[in-house]
Amino acid sequence: MIFGYHLLSVVIWLPIVFGLLVLATGNDRNAKLARTIALVGAILGFLVTIPLVTGFDRMTSAMQFVVYRDWIVRFNIHYHLGVDGISVLFILLNSFFTPLVVIAGWKVIEKRVAQYMAAFLIMSGLVNGVFAALDAMLFYVFWEAMLIPMFIIIGVWGGPNRVYAAVKFFLYTLLGSLLMLVALLYLYQQSGGSFSIIDFHHTALPSLSIQVMLFFAFFMAFSVKVPMFPVHTWLPDAHVEAPTGGSVVLAAIMLKVGAYGFIRFSMPILPDASHYLAPMMIALSLIAVVYIGLVALTQADMKKLVAYSSISHMGFVTLGFFIFNAYGMEGALLQMISHGFVAGALFLCIGVLYDRVHSRQIVDYGGVANKMPVFAAFFMLFAMANSGLPGTSGFVGEFMVIMGAVKANFWYAFAAASTLIFGAAYTLWMYKRVIFGAVANDHVAHLHDIGAREILVFVVLAVSVLVMGLYPLPFADIMHTSVNDLLVHLATPKVLN
Amino acid sequence: MTLLSSLSPAYAEIFLLVMLSVILIVDLFIVSYTKTLTYLMVQLTLLGCSLITVATHQNGIAHLFNHMFVDDLMSDVLKLLTYLSVSMMLVYSRSYLLARGLFTGEFLGLVLFATLGMMVMISACNFLSLYLGLELLALSLYAMVALQRDSATSTEAAMKYFILGAMASGFLLYGMSMLYGATGSLDVNHIAQVILHGAPNKELLVFGLAFIVAGLAFKLGAVPFHMWVPDVYHGAPTAMTMFIGSAPKLAAFAFVMRILVEALQPLMIHWSGMLTILAVLSMAVGNITAIAQTNLKRMLAYSTIAHMGFMLVGILSGTIEGYGSSMFYAVVYVLMSLGGFGMIMLLSREGFEADNLNDFKGLNQRSPWLAFMMLLLMFSMAGVPPTVGFYAKFSVLNAAVQTGHITLVVMAVLFSLVGAFYYLRIVKLMYFDAPESHEKINLQPDSSLLISINGLAVLALGILPGTLMSVCAVSVQQSLLH
């Protein structure tokens, strides 16, 4: 416990301070310095999260590493931080990805390097804040603030249609957030003047219709971020236009924030509405799994394909939440972490190809394995993980969610299991067209294999995918108590009779 | 001696008037084109006023001049903020006006007259003194807009402003005379007492109220009485636009508080409904029309209309909490508005107005720091945390939720989403587009320092908004405790 009481504050603010330092290096003449400071900041940012795990008490579902200070006294808003077995994993995941993103953008980003690196570091800190906040307004501030760096990242370093994608991303998310703000204000009134999320969990909301309205307000905020069908359309646009680092953070981190919102707000605060609307949520999740899976099959653009695959995989997550049993819930959480590794890795793979050929179209490739054997091997592993091959992390979560779904209703499980076929189909078909076969054209013929910097990133991710696939127990272990507590909350109706 | 000390609540006004007369005479003997001495004297006068306002502050409420004039915490706080914003406006606009030959003694005199008008408005406690302050402010503003005599757009703007402003004053006077007829008093507190106890002619009261609300809506620029706002904002020289868009909003807030809340609190059920319509229309028309603008000044004009709608949401909730949040909103709005117009003037050169949206293209490549400041200001106007604009919206919406105006709140939220689009467009132009000209931005040290302070204040107040919020809430609370 180096930082003791302030550990979570350090986890949030250290990347932000480093981000500002990077920003201070100014223009591109100091690009090298900016990159170095960014890397140091990102690695330190990851290192300070390690005590969160080593000092974590697995036996309790109470919040740990709590920081509690007055912030805005007038509205009883506090600087209140803390983690449970669920949020601690996501803070770790987020901090783990920041150095990878910095390394991935090391050479590729040549213009406005300092601003690029700073945006990622600042966002990393803000996302940690979202996961650690226990005061609803603090949560909201972090939640909204993280839009700003992402907006800039997509808009400045993105592809040709970046402006459209950035604005669409921002407005879509803002719409949801603003309705959530109204819901939070209402809860503030109902809870007798408290913004504490823990208090919200115990706030009586006896009328089902009010719970349903609040549920929809939260739903707008979280489903857009997840994203769930039918509000998913911003994601393919944002992914395609974002630079590689932006896509990685979007897929690995941003989508998790939405799902986390369901666990932290919608389900424990509104248990009755959650049960009442579960059929709708399950239906939307299954549509995402099946229909979006089919949509992914037809994509000609690799990034779009992985984007649709993300939506489909996130459908698994929301399905796991709303079947209300331990298998489903833990499976969904494992799926979130696994999807972070796998989708992040796949976007990095596509980034490697894009940096060399400057095309994301599948037809522009073919026979890459002949020129880039090492890369092809890594890509293979991640593609397999994306299709849910046993032994990779992708399998664990999907398998557990399907098990949970069988308990709830056989047909849910049946529909969900179709992803094992569709997922394999679209991922491996893309892989085949890009990697195998004869060398397709001159661009491919001139490809050179990945260097040490890229191999380092892929090795780290490959190890994570395999470790989580072969030995997921530590992950499940840390979240177990908190998940049980959440299920107890969900089983306690607030509406009497 | 006792007479002199009994005037202490009005020392600041008296000091300002004396200094104003001195400055007008001194200025006659200053031949220098830059008017440095006059400028410094004006700034020192404002500083002196703030010192006097702080020094003469006393707890509780003091009345003066036969209950015409009141000195309470709210008036002191609003006056201090008025001095601050007038002084900031002068720093921002000095080099801009010098380049256009408008930095004259008359301009500085008019600024002080307008300031005096605002101070009277803020401290007025009687319909007569309220009207006196309002007209002193308005007449100075008409003249300021028309100061650029050889510009057709400016004169047109001044003409429109004058005619519509005069009409609004007419509305107000008509409404006030109705209230006088019904209650037999012009005193703000007395009127409230009479309505509460005497139950005078209700129809007459509501009739008068409708005219008063229409007059106030004109002055605030709330829809459907907003037609003058875009034309005046666009036509006036940017320095004057900045002036109109800043401190007078604080005075207008005080004006609304004195009339609607202090005098006509018993009729709240009536004016609350009227304000709801004005607020919703303002937010809708302001935000939607702003999207279509290509001129930044016009866009900010429509954004002002929308912001005024938001401010009304706080007032119409009819609780002390709500009034406090409205005051906070007004203060925050003034801060953002000063920054926004300040940026236009910073980027303007001699013979060139940077008031077109395209002038902001690629600002991040020309000056990353200025672009960052503008980014903070725009996100603050859009109400995105961690900037202070968010807390302004938050506190107003909270007050409305507490009083059960959920539908109104949802509408406000949706319109502010529409608003976010055009603020984002500025950020997009600055960060995502390539610059149209690579001409060097000629920065004055004083105004560039001020814009940095202004932008960072928006961020700092966004991270720690508690103090300013409490100051606003407490001052409103104290002035309503009789």
Side-chain angles (χ1 to χ4, degrees):
Chain A
M1 298 294 278
I2 317 166
F3 301 103
Y5 178 73
H6 294 290
L7 181 59
L8 272 178
S9 291
V10 175
V11 166
I12 294 171
W13 296 105
L14 186 119
I16 297 180
V17 169
F18 269 90
L20 295 176
L21 275 179
V22 172
L23 212 52
T25 61
N27 60 24
D28 284 345
R29 264 172 299 170
N30 301 326
K32 208 167 176 188
L33 181 65
R35 291 189 183 109
T36 317
I37 298 178
L39 186 62
V40 170
I43 291 176
L44 280 179
F46 177 61
L47 291 180
V48 293
T49 59
I50 290 176
L52 285 179
V53 183
T54 53
F56 193 83
D57 178 0
R58 275 139 226 254
M59 291 301 123
T60 170
S61 66
M63 292 298 165
Q64 305 185 31
F65 305 101
V66 172
V67 180
Y68 189 81
R69 286 279 169 86
D70 284 343
W71 181 25
I72 305 173
V73 183
R74 235 190 100 55
F75 289 103
N76 203 9
I77 298 173
H78 299 275
Y79 178 71
H80 188 184
L81 304 172
V83 287
D84 63 0
I86 297 170
S87 46
V88 70
L89 288 173
F90 293 107
I91 290 183
L92 217 61
L93 181 72
N94 175 40
S95 306
F96 171 78
F97 260 98
T98 315
L100 296 186
V101 167
V102 169
I103 297 173
W106 197 266
K107 283 240 174 65
V108 192
I109 300 299
E110 282 162 350
K111 58 167 189 175
R112 287 177 256 170
V113 179
Q115 292 184 0
Y116 178 86
M117 296 296 177
F120 276 104
L121 282 174
I122 290 173
M123 192 158 64
S124 168
L126 295 173
V127 171
N128 281 343
V130 169
F131 287 123
L134 290 181
D135 186 286
M137 285 323 292
L138 187 64
F139 173 86
Y140 188 82
V141 168
F142 282 127
W143 169 274
E144 288 269 69
M146 76 184 177
L147 289 182
I148 301 176
M150 198 68 210
F151 175 70
I152 305 271
I153 288 169
I154 298 177
V156 176
W157 295 276
N161 203 12
R162 59 208 156 86
V163 174
Y164 170 77
V167 172
K168 188 171 177 180
F169 161 77
F170 196 96
L171 292 183
Y172 245 89
T173 11
L174 190 62
L175 167 69
S177 315
L178 287 169
L179 290 173
M180 174 169 76
L181 178 65
V182 180
L184 293 178
L185 289 173
Y186 182 83
L187 285 169
Y188 170 67
Q189 186 194 20
Q190 290 301 307
S191 66
S194 164
F195 271 117
S196 159
I197 299 175
I198 314 286
D199 289 349
F200 285 175
H201 289 187
H202 302 287
T203 300
L205 293 164
S207 140
L208 182 62
S209 56
I210 290 208
Q211 279 200 29
V212 168
M213 287 208 297
L214 289 172
F215 189 92
F216 275 108
F218 282 122
F219 175 76
M220 285 303 290
F222 301 141
S223 65
V224 165
K225 272 263 166 62
V226 168
M228 292 178 74
F229 179 85
V231 283
H232 62 280
T233 61
W234 63 271
L235 186 74
D237 286 318
H239 265 318
V240 169
E241 300 303 333
T244 304
S247 296
V248 171
V249 171
L250 263 175
I253 313 298
M254 279 259 172
L255 308 190
K256 310 307 176 288
V257 174
Y260 172 78
F262 279 116
I263 305 180
R264 185 62 83 224
F265 288 88
S266 307
M267 300 174 76
I269 297 176
L270 311 161
D272 306 290
S274 301
H275 280 283
Y276 180 70
L277 294 171
M280 178 193 83
M281 298 298 290
I282 291 171
L284 291 177
S285 308
L286 289 176
I287 292 174
V289 170
V290 178
Y291 163 70
I292 302 290
L294 287 170
V295 172
L297 205 50
T298 66
Q299 297 306 314
D301 179 315
M302 288 190 280
K303 263 191 164 177
K304 257 199 170 141
L305 191 146
V306 181
Y308 279 112
S309 138
S310 292
I311 303 170
S312 169
H313 281 108
M314 290 308 285
F316 250 93
V317 173
T318 42
L319 173 70
F321 288 165
F322 283 88
I323 51 182
F324 306 117
N325 59 42
Y327 273 122
M329 195 76 76
E330 288 188 13
L333 290 167
L334 290 175
Q335 168 81 345
M336 281 162 76
I337 297 164
S338 151
H339 176 261
F341 291 136
V342 176
L346 282 177
F347 279 118
L348 286 169
C349 287
I350 297 169
V352 164
L353 290 175
Y354 183 79
D355 295 341
R356 290 166 170 74
V357 181
H358 294 284
S359 165
R360 294 181 306 258
Q361 302 300 317
I362 297 175
V363 289
D364 289 340
Y365 296 91
V368 172
N370 300 320
K371 293 288 164 188
M372 304 175 75
V374 181
F375 169 73
F378 280 116
F379 198 2
M380 183 72 186
L381 174 69
F382 300 131
M384 287 299 182
N386 200 43
S387 4
L389 186 80
T392 63
S393 63
F395 174 73
V396 186
E398 289 185 6
F399 180 68
M400 285 177 76
V401 172
I402 293 173
M403 292 245 290
V406 171
K407 276 189 171 181
N409 182 326
F410 171 75
W411 292 107
Y412 295 166
F414 182 80
S418 70
T419 193
L420 294 173
I421 300 164
F422 295 140
Y426 57 71
T427 319
L428 297 182
W429 191 33
M430 171 190 78
Y431 185 79
K432 182 212 136 208
R433 285 180 287 168
V434 171
I435 301 291
F436 294 144
V439 172
N441 54 38
D442 279 356
H443 286 301
V444 176
H446 290 111
L447 282 176
H448 51 97
D449 211 342
I450 45 179
R453 180 178 57 87
E454 288 155 324
I455 289 179
L456 171 72
V457 173
F458 284 134
V459 165
V460 170
L461 282 168
V463 169
S464 318
V465 166
L466 286 174
V467 165
M468 199 182 158
L470 294 171
Y471 190 59
L473 193 65
F475 295 91
D477 210 30
I478 205 165
M479 68 175 71
H480 197 67
T481 320
S482 300
V483 168
N484 280 341
D485 183 60
L486 177 61
L487 287 169
V488 170
H489 253 294
L490 269 165
T492 322
K494 288 183 176 179
V495 178
L496 303 170
N497 311 321
Chain B
M1 206 52 216
T2 43
L3 172 74
L4 202 59
S5 59
S6 74
L7 288 180
S8 78
Y11 276 175
E13 281 83 353
I14 295 167
F15 173 73
L16 183 67
L17 186 60
V18 171
M19 285 304 290
L20 174 54
S21 317
V22 173
I23 288 171
L24 281 179
I25 294 169
V26 169
D27 183 65
L28 290 178
F29 298 96
I30 294 178
V31 281
S32 149
Y33 167 73
T34 54
K35 300 281 181 194
T36 313
L37 183 63
T38 327
Y39 170 73
L40 286 178
M41 280 176 79
V42 171
Q43 290 285 23
L44 283 176
T45 307
L46 290 168
L47 182 66
C49 280
S50 10
L51 293 178
I52 293 171
T53 304
V54 172
T56 58
H57 171 75
Q58 52 204 30
N59 288 327
I61 304 170
H63 289 280
L64 209 62
F65 306 126
N66 286 327
H67 238 262
M68 285 267 195
F69 184 96
V70 63
D71 179 36
D72 52 15
L73 187 61
M74 182 177 87
S75 66
D76 283 348
V77 171
L78 282 176
K79 276 181 206 168
L80 286 174
L81 292 168
T82 305
Y83 309 142
L84 181 67
S85 88
V86 172
S87 156
M88 280 170 75
M89 167 264 178
L90 285 171
V91 174
Y92 273 132
S93 51
R94 183 157 175 248
S95 55
Y96 173 90
L97 289 172
L98 275 173
R100 282 154 188 78
L102 294 174
F103 201 72
T104 54
E106 298 88 86
F107 166 73
L108 292 166
L110 285 170
V111 167
L112 285 186
F113 269 121
T115 311
L116 184 60
M118 289 187 269
M119 290 162 77
V120 173
M121 269 168 91
I122 290 170
S123 269
C125 194
N126 185 299
F127 280 176
L128 280 181
S129 45
L130 274 169
Y131 186 74
L132 206 67
L134 180 70
E135 282 304 285
L136 183 55
L137 168 67
L139 285 169
S140 319
L141 290 182
Y142 304 147
M144 281 168 74
V145 173
L147 212 56
Q148 199 172 17
R149 273 170 312 192
D150 47 1
S151 154
T153 48
S154 289
T155 18
E156 185 196 326
M159 200 63 172
K160 278 186 182 151
Y161 193 21
F162 176 67
I163 292 174
L164 290 174
M167 195 156 87
S169 302
F171 273 136
L172 264 179
L173 281 181
Y174 192 63
M176 284 174 178
S177 65
M178 289 292 150
L179 289 183
Y180 180 64
T183 61
S185 172
L186 287 172
D187 185 293
V188 163
N189 302 117
H190 195 228
I191 289 176
Q193 293 299 319
V194 173
I195 299 176
L196 263 185
H197 302 301
N201 188 340
K202 201 88 180 190
E203 281 77 39
L204 198 57
L205 278 177
V206 176
F207 189 70
L209 175 69
F211 277 94
I212 286 199
V213 169
L216 290 177
F218 251 118
K219 296 288 177 193
L220 285 174
V223 180
F225 306 102
H226 66 291
M227 310 302 186
W228 61 273
V229 181
D231 288 334
V232 171
Y233 272 49
H234 183 196
T238 309
M240 318 304 175
T241 313
M242 172 191 256
F243 191 56
I244 297 172
S246 56
K249 303 294 176 203
L250 297 173
F253 169 78
F255 198 73
V256 173
M257 281 296 289
R258 301 284 183 215
I259 294 195
L260 289 187
V261 178
E262 289 190 26
L264 302 174
Q265 177 73 26
L267 300 180
M268 193 192 101
I269 190 160
H270 298 284
W271 56 251
S272 178
M274 298 181 199
L275 292 191
T276 309
I277 298 170
L278 292 175
V280 171
L281 284 177
S282 302
M283 289 186 288
V285 173
N287 278 324
I288 293 171
T289 322
I291 292 178
Q293 307 306 319
T294 54
N295 181 291
L296 186 58
K297 277 157 82 181
R298 270 191 110 76
M299 193 200 94
L300 286 176
Y302 282 106
S303 121
T304 306
I305 296 172
H307 280 297
M308 288 303 113
F310 240 102
M311 195 186 88
L312 288 177
V313 171
I315 293 178
L316 68 86
S317 33
T319 54
I320 289 183
E321 185 103 325
Y323 308 141
S325 69
S326 272
M327 177 166 163
F328 182 64
Y329 200 100
V331 173
V332 168
Y333 169 74
V334 167
L335 185 70
M336 299 185 300
S337 167
L338 282 169
F341 288 112
M343 191 64 78
I344 299 180
M345 287 197 277
L346 236 61
L347 298 184
S348 299
R349 295 182 300 276
E350 202 167 338
F352 171 76
E353 295 278 332
D355 63 351
N356 213 299
L357 287 185
N358 286 344
D359 299 327
F360 280 77
K361 270 192 179 171
L363 185 62
N364 184 38
Q365 288 170 43
R366 294 168 69 199
S367 165
W369 180 249
L370 284 185
F372 181 58
M373 291 300 117
M374 191 66 176
L375 170 115
L376 288 175
L377 289 165
M378 286 298 119
F379 276 119
S380 181
M381 285 203 185
V384 177
T387 55
V388 68
F390 164 70
Y391 295 95
K393 289 208 161 69
F394 163 79
S395 56
V396 165
L397 292 178
N398 183 47
V401 168
Q402 306 303 324
T403 47
H405 293 90
I406 305 279
T407 327
L408 177 68
V409 168
V410 171
M411 282 164 89
V413 154
L414 291 181
F415 286 125
S416 69
L417 177 74
V418 175
F421 173 75
Y422 58 85
Y423 298 121
L424 272 188
R425 192 167 52 185
I426 308 267
V427 177
K428 175 224 142 195
L429 289 171
M430 293 190 305
Y431 279 82
F432 305 167
D433 290 353
E436 281 192 338
S437 84
H438 285 277
E439 208 159 324
K440 211 168 168 305
I441 301 169
N442 184 19
L443 286 177
Q444 299 295 324
D446 52 349
S447 51
S448 48
L449 178 68
L450 187 59
I451 195 90
S452 307
I453 295 173
N454 201 332
L456 292 177
V458 163
L459 183 63
L461 285 172
I463 292 170
L464 295 170
T467 316
L468 185 59
M469 266 180 177
S470 302
V471 167
C472 293
V474 169
S475 55
V476 165
Q477 205 167 4
Q478 296 227 339
S479 75
L480 291 181
L481 291 177
H482 294 295

